Amino acid sequence: TARVVLKGGARPPRLYTYDVPVLRRIPMPPHNADPSYFFKKFTPYTTDEFREQFTTAVRYYMGGEDGQSTDWPLAQKLLLDCLSKQPRDGPAMALLEVMRKESVDGRA
């Protein structure tokens, strides 16, 4: 999830991305397709547990719904654990790098 504000919008919408391990053309689903159609065609390379932990880490990084409850040390701990399971996970590495650069003492 990411926070963006659209011109004229008061509340940021939620945006979602998904990494497809192999680049290939994604067929358009039928109009009445089950919402899980995409995930049946493109199985995630991460586990449900990993994605749940990463999502929790992002919540702590972002500070919850209102952005007021950040906990970077906990986010860092969760992201490092994510990397122990998926050592080349780009999003986890990117968030850790931002925290490293933005923190006063070099730690999140």
Side-chain angles (χ1 to χ4, degrees):
T1 6
R3 287 200 187 127
V4 296
V5 178
L6 301 176
K7 187 175 182 175
R11 186 162 188 227
R14 291 188 181 271
L15 299 177
Y16 299 90
T17 63
Y18 180 76
D19 293 328
V20 177
V22 178
L23 295 175
R24 59 182 169 163
R25 179 171 223 135
I26 299 171
M28 288 298 292
H31 286 28
N32 60 350
D34 175 10
S36 64
Y37 173 85
F38 181 83
F39 295 105
K40 288 176 184 169
K41 291 281 186 187
F42 299 97
T43 306
Y45 74 93
T46 55
T47 64
D48 289 341
E49 178 188 354
F50 176 93
R51 291 188 302 278
E52 190 174 303
Q53 184 168 350
F54 181 81
T55 299
T56 301
V58 170
R59 270 194 217 109
Y60 284 114
Y61 170 80
M62 299 287 287
E65 288 297 317
D66 60 2
Q68 302 298 312
S69 308
T70 58
D71 187 340
W72 279 16
L74 183 52
Q76 181 183 40
K77 179 182 180 295
L78 292 168
L79 290 167
L80 288 170
D81 189 50
C82 285
L83 285 178
S84 74
K85 297 170 187 160
Q86 289 286 339
R88 297 183 56 171
D89 187 70
M93 290 189 296
L95 288 177
L96 285 167
E97 181 64 12
V98 168
M99 287 189 283
R100 186 190 66 75
K101 286 180 178 179
E102 296 295 324
S103 65
V104 175
D105 63 1
R107 296 178 317 146

